[in-house]
Amino acid sequence: MVPRYARPEMTAIWEPESKFRIWFEIEAHATDSLAELGVVPKSAAKAIWEKGAFEVDRIDTIEAEVKHDVIAFLTNVAEHVGEEARFMHQGMTSSDVLDTCLSVQLVRATDILLEKMDALLAALKARAEEHKYTATIGRSHGIHAEPTTFGLKLAQAYAEFARGRERLVEARREIATCAVSGAVGTFANIDPRVEAHVAKKMGLEIEPVSTQVIPRDRHAAYFAALAVIASSIERLATEVRHLQRTEVLEAEEYFSPGQKGSSAMPHKRNPVLTENLTGLARMVRSYALPAMENVALWHERDISHSSVERYIGPDATITLDFALHRLTGVVEKLVVYPERMQKNLDRMGGLVHSQRVLLALTQAGISREDAYRIVQRNAMKVWESDGALSLLELLKNDNDVSAKMSEAELEDKFNLDYHFKHVDTIFDRVFKS
């Protein structure tokens, strides 16, 4: 975890104090259930809740000697509880505590991520509505294609992140499982009712069959869901970076008073936030692969996954939380230049209307191959003039075109509003579904 890219609410979930508090609750709830089943004295369960405490530094000191974190934790708690602490951890194994704790942490982290997703979606919707009919050029392969609206660009991003949110909800459901099944997961030394009790208290579902560890396909799916959201972040960030290029400059990140863009060049206004988001997205995606490699464990159970998850659990959720928050700010404050969008639309002499002319000529009786050839030969003249020539004027003077279309019919094919007649339909699909 890099403090520069971390927010306190998410970071707190992964602090040692929070982790050990969850461990304590798992152990205490399990002892409650064991007491109700008559396996341990009720006085022991009561004592654990009343006297149970721990100190992170003391746990670290004990672990340095015993080389086992769960034993170190239990030893420290026992120092506070006293004699009745011997009834803690009855029939349990370390993974019961570790895996259930990780599930709780990931669920809590996901709830924060869902809040961040909601904030981003709200920002995208507001800006999409604002620029619903702001005309801009649609590009394919980076080259001018046909007109679209800036609102449609943002609506597409909204729909993508809405899908990401659905995946995150499913990932939360799949990761929210509890295992308190003992060594090799057979419940030989602990009643399944204990697991059900702990699961209910910790806001989880029972793991149908654990092997001592919760199956890691769940975690692989979880981190894959985070990786896809990170990819969506990068997609939108990359578009903003393209739009801020000097030659394009249709939109740019907000540049605050007093902000500096370059240590060497005072004129620079660089897309530093979206460049940062591009890098953060790469990091979140990188955590998906080790999560998938964690699925295969020796004879269904080992701890090769453990060291991996100590990294990727905190880092993936903390980084994605920061990235979503930052992207929301970029969208909310994004400076949009409709006049520049219009200027770019117009700079290639009407080439963006070539398909309408092509289709009109086919409707007028010319074969598609001949219509394409007629429009392309005029379009290439405009292209080679860098937009100095007008496609409309060239077509008006082309005998093959004038033989089939009047000037008025031809001019109608250069009407920009034609391209936006279904914007409402798309918006309804995106925002009303």
Side-chain angles (χ1 to χ4, degrees), residues 135-140 142-148 250 341-359 375 378-380 382-383 387 389-392 395 412-420:
T136 190
I137 184 62
R139 298 173 175 87
S140 58
I143 308 301
H144 282 205
E146 291 194 348
T148 184
E250 295 178 356
M341 292 178 179
Q342 187 63 53
K343 181 178 179 180
N344 285 342
L345 261 172
D346 296 337
R347 79 168 298 273
M348 290 306 289
L351 288 183
V352 297
H353 302 288
S354 68
Q355 182 179 190
R356 287 206 68 198
V357 180
L358 166 66
L359 296 177
V375 176
N378 289 284
M380 291 303 100
V382 178
W383 181 276
L389 298 176
S390 163
L391 179 61
L392 175 59
L395 291 171
D412 179 64
K413 307 310 173 189
F414 286 74
N415 180 2
L416 190 63
D417 291 339
Y418 169 87
H419 294 275
F420 309 143

Side-chain angles (χ1 to χ4, degrees), residues 21 32 60 74 93 124 162 182 185 205 207 227 292 318 320 339 341 394 407 410 418:
R21 171 54 53 185
D32 277 345
D60 291 342
L74 292 170
T93 190
L124 287 168
E205 298 294 327
E207 179 59 51
M292 293 179 185
I318 290 172
L320 187 60
E339 296 82 6
M341 292 178 179
L394 288 175
E407 288 193 359
L410 194 56
Y418 169 87

